Amino acid sequence: MAIKQQPKPPRSRVIGNILLLVSGLFLLVNLFLPGLFGSRPPQVPYSLFIHQVQEGEVSRVYVAQDQIRYQLKPQAEQPEQVLSTTPIFDLELPKLLESQGVEFAAAPPPRNSWFTSLLGWVIPPLIFVGVWQFFLNRGSGGGQGVLSIGKSKAKVYVEGESEKVTFADVAGVDEAKTELVEIVDFLKNPKRFTQIGARIPRGVLLVGPPGTGKTLLAKAVAGEAGVPFFSISGSEFVELFVGVGSSRVRDLFEQAKKQAPCIVFIDELDAIGKSRASNGFYGGNDEREQTLNQLLTEMDGFGGGDQTVIVLAATNRPETLDPALLRPGRFDRQVLVDRPDLSGRTEILDIHAKGVKLGPDVDLKAIATRTPGFAGADLANLVNEAALLAARNGREQVAQEDFAEAIERIVAGLEKKSRVLNEKEKKIVAYHEVGHALVGALMPGSNRVEKISIIPRGMAALGYTLQLPTEDRFLLSETELRGQIATMLGGRSAEEIIFNSITTGASNDLQRATDLAERMVTTYGMSKVLGPLAYQQSQQPMFLGNEAPNPRRLVSPQTAEAIDQEVKGIVEQAHQQALDILNHNRELLETIASKLLETEVIEGETLHTLLKQVQPAGEQLASV
Ligand code: ADP
Ligand code: MG
Ligand code: ZN
């Protein structure tokens, strides 16, 4: 269904704006009416009101649905005072009032009711008109009227702006930078390349997980080259009216060609560039398809002569893109923007720490070591969190401990002091966490246990064991993965041993353990029975640390059963391993748990000395 917009003369827009203004005014007046006409008495807490009634200080009470107004008995020098409070549902109130001999009644209906009800009739249509007008204005890119509804909303950043971004602002993505330096050359000096007959690439696709600096890099390219930068986000194309997306693309490129050499940056390309085949089941999405086709046409249509327009695009889901986009002559260059490694993280922290005052004890390298898997955006956020914490703690400079606390916040969530556990629960949580820590201390592949705490934090954790890595890992062996699963099951195993029963607290551990075991079997080919086959459809790109489970490939029922059995086998074996270790170290488990119950948190040296005493359960290790 196509909705055509009738072109409107500009006068109707003026009228629309006036209507908008008027309706806004009416709304304001209505909101403040009670304040203007019926001057609101001071508001007090309900508890104070009850107290005053009990003390016999109240003479008269009007009870309305959402407000109680009452009058105090005249005091020595004070005149009669009128107060109000917000009622709570209290069936005892009439009895109490009666017993105190207070005069009470339901409140009289509000005055000026004809006026209010008139407003009730007038305002909704006005608001409707206002909202409509607002959307029309928005759709038209502002200022050009309804006629230009299809005009591009691209933001243009031109050279020389105060917040110019350069490559110096981006770190940890050296390979990507190297490739983009070349693009900057093309933009600065296209002749040098075209003279020889080389064709300048048209499209460069930045691919990488969210927050790794793709948008930032695109801006940096423009900043370095000193050319105009048109930026638009793919999700903005997906709009209400059919046909708007494609005309917007046409318009965007028209503007860009006038300003060549320049950069057109399409953020979140996957929003328009989704493979046309992939949504066949749902009958496709006409609008997106048209937009995509227009984009393809435009990319084929320019590039000749002096028009150096380079299209940069960013996506974190390259596998969903339509193959037509990736053909030579379109986005034929792909630049991987991956999560930074250790030195990259240090550099990124350096960049963002420039803006905050650092104390002398801050060691950015140490912070980088403890944050593998963090993308640039996470690190920027980390620095800011640390600065906020320092300010909250009344410090002048950010200290290392602020960073430590900020990491913990980001990894485990906010502390929830308000969630109070009863003694029994606390005890269970303590043993559970110590169970994780003890198994984790022995297992290969487990990160160093830094802290155990039974102070609730984050979404679900009642207590937590904070394990932070000491180095970046890119490959994990089968033994290490099994070790991780055993560590995840350590909590539940401790509950079983000590309390001989199981609580609901371990469900998240079990979920993660099962997921990991399934990945061992179906993705990493670590099962002897099933062999080195991939049983999962790898739709997700294999970014480091991407843990989302994939759907299984279509397999025969027998294979599915075998997979299930292998997964179960791995988890059960790890469970047994955890039980063995904890049984073997039962005394230590008791000691640390009771200490944890006293102090609520054990960390640092104290924890390391305690955990050094863990003994491997002899026979078990040999059999794994
Ligand atoms: P993406 O587009 O890849 O999702 P952004 O470019 O929007 O990520 O990054 C968001 C913010 O995170 C940036 O504005 C910057 O402050 C910070 N950031 C991300 N990556 C880096 C990096 N490699 N170097 C420095 N800062 C970064
Ligand atoms: Mg982005
Ligand atoms: Zn747990």
Side-chain angles (χ1 to χ4, degrees), residues 13 25 47 81 99 185 208 230 242 301 313 386 406 455 462 503 569 596 610:
R13 259 199 63 197
L25 263 177
S47 56
Q81 207 185 346
S99 71
D185 278 347
F230 295 83
V242 173
I455 300 173
L462 297 174
T503 64
L596 182 61
L610 283 170

Side-chain angles (χ1 to χ4, degrees), residues 399-583:
Q400 186 77 359
E401 66 182 281
D402 295 319
F403 278 103
E405 167 72 13
I407 295 177
E408 212 173 319
R409 267 189 185 207
I410 292 171
V411 175
L414 278 184
E415 230 170 60
K416 290 221 175 68
K417 289 241 166 70
S418 61
R419 193 184 283 157
V420 182
L421 304 179
N422 67 32
E423 286 308 310
K424 172 84 181 161
E425 286 171 333
K426 240 185 188 166
K427 205 167 156 198
I428 294 175
V429 173
Y431 276 97
H432 179 108
E433 297 308 332
V434 176
H436 281 307
L438 287 185
V439 179
L442 272 190
M443 284 292 121
S446 289
N447 292 321
R448 207 160 113 126
V449 183
E450 293 275 343
K451 178 172 185 173
I452 22 184
S453 157
I454 51 172
I455 300 173
R457 230 180 219 281
M459 301 282 281
L462 297 174
Y464 61 99
T465 306
L466 189 68
Q467 290 181 295
L468 291 175
T470 45
E471 58 183 347
D472 283 17
R473 293 297 304 269
F474 299 100
L475 288 173
L476 287 170
S477 70
E478 183 185 341
T479 331
E480 287 172 321
L481 291 177
R482 284 178 188 269
Q484 288 187 353
I485 297 178
T487 308
M488 291 171 193
L489 293 168
R492 177 199 154 106
S493 305
E495 289 184 41
E496 277 172 70
I497 291 176
I498 303 292
F499 303 99
N500 215 345
S501 75
I502 303 158
T503 64
T504 53
S507 63
N508 181 38
D509 295 337
L510 301 188
Q511 182 74 51
R512 286 170 51 214
T514 315
D515 284 350
L516 184 52
E518 179 157 340
R519 257 182 294 140
M520 285 175 67
V521 176
T522 60
T523 313
Y524 306 139
M526 287 175 175
S527 149
K528 291 211 177 62
V529 181
L530 290 151
L533 288 164
Y535 292 97
Q536 285 184 324
Q537 289 175 326
S538 64
Q539 290 200 331
Q540 305 270 336
M542 295 305 284
F543 293 132
L544 196 69
N546 181 357
E547 298 203 344
N550 288 336
R552 269 187 204 174
R553 208 179 272 285
L554 285 179
V555 291
S556 71
Q558 288 88 338
T559 311
E561 203 179 314
I563 293 177
D564 290 341
Q565 262 178 2
E566 281 293 286
V567 172
K568 189 162 173 234
I570 291 177
V571 175
E572 270 175 0
Q573 196 185 6
H575 183 203
Q576 193 53 49
Q577 209 177 353
L579 284 175
D580 288 340
I581 292 172
L582 293 175
N583 271 321

Side-chain angles (χ1 to χ4, degrees), residues 165 167-174 177 206-219 265 267-268 314-316 337-340 344 347-349 351-352 375-381:
V165 179
F167 281 144
D169 298 316
V170 195
V173 282
D174 295 335
K177 265 203 228 173
L206 303 171
V207 179
T212 43
K214 298 181 293 294
T215 309
L216 193 66
L217 269 171
K219 286 186 189 161
F265 176 52
D267 212 349
E268 295 161 55
T315 180
N316 47 17
V337 188
D338 210 346
R339 294 205 181 88
E347 287 169 40
I348 295 176
L349 284 169
I351 291 178
H352 290 282
D378 302 323
L379 293 168
N381 180 28

